[in-house]
Amino acid sequence: MGRMLGRRERTLTYLGPDTEVLGDMRAKGQVRIDGLVRGSVLVEGELEFGPTGRVEGERVEARSVVIHGEVKAELTAEKVVLSKTARFTGQLKAQALEVEAGAVFVGQSVTGEHKALEAPKEA
């Protein structure tokens, strides 16, 4: 086993295509979802939805989000990328938004302002 001197170990959480999560999901590090999540997804790091990845929930939060699959939720991130196969439905708040030709976006977006990321804190 190699030594990890001077390096931060990066955590990867992966949900395969045959995985279904019922309820909220919280994770740190990198997360890739190729299965289905019926609930909120809260990630302290990077989040990617593969082509078969889907979420149907109240909210999705991460530092950066790349969508190749389908997301139905309120999405908050510093940077969001909707690939040509992405389907997004909901409200999106981000500092930067990249939408490839072919992506489907149904909803509202607030982008480019630091205020876009300010969400009310839960009591």
Side-chain angles (χ1 to χ4, degrees), residues 47 64-68 75 79-84 86 92 96-100 103:
L47 173 60
S64 66
V65 178
V66 177
I67 303 172
H68 302 285
L75 173 60
K79 181 179 180 183
V80 176
V81 176
L82 301 178
S83 77
K84 62 184 177 182
L92 186 144
L97 172 62
E98 182 180 324
V99 181
E100 293 181 2

Side-chain angles (χ1 to χ4, degrees), residues 30-44:
Q30 293 181 304
V31 175
R32 178 169 170 118
I33 298 174
D34 284 318
L36 170 64
V37 177
R38 292 185 192 274
S40 294
V41 178
L42 310 170
V43 176
E44 292 181 27

Side-chain angles (χ1 to χ4, degrees), residues 48-69:
E48 181 175 6
F49 292 93
T52 60
R54 289 182 21 221
V55 67
E56 297 172 7
E58 185 177 328
R59 61 191 176 130
V60 172
E61 294 180 10
R63 185 173 352 111
S64 66
V65 178
V66 177
I67 303 172
H68 302 285

Side-chain angles (χ1 to χ4, degrees), residues 59-119:
R59 61 191 176 130
V60 172
E61 294 180 10
R63 185 173 352 111
S64 66
V65 178
V66 177
I67 303 172
H68 302 285
E70 184 174 4
V71 173
K72 293 180 181 179
E74 180 178 313
L75 173 60
T76 304
E78 291 177 20
K79 181 179 180 183
V80 176
V81 176
L82 301 178
S83 77
K84 62 184 177 182
T85 60
R87 295 185 60 84
F88 177 82
T89 304
Q91 184 174 16
L92 186 144
K93 297 176 186 176
Q95 286 183 333
L97 172 62
E98 182 180 324
V99 181
E100 293 181 2
V104 176
F105 184 107
V106 179
Q108 300 174 325
S109 68
V110 177
T111 59
E113 293 187 22
H114 201 63
K115 287 186 217 173
L117 297 181
E118 293 176 8

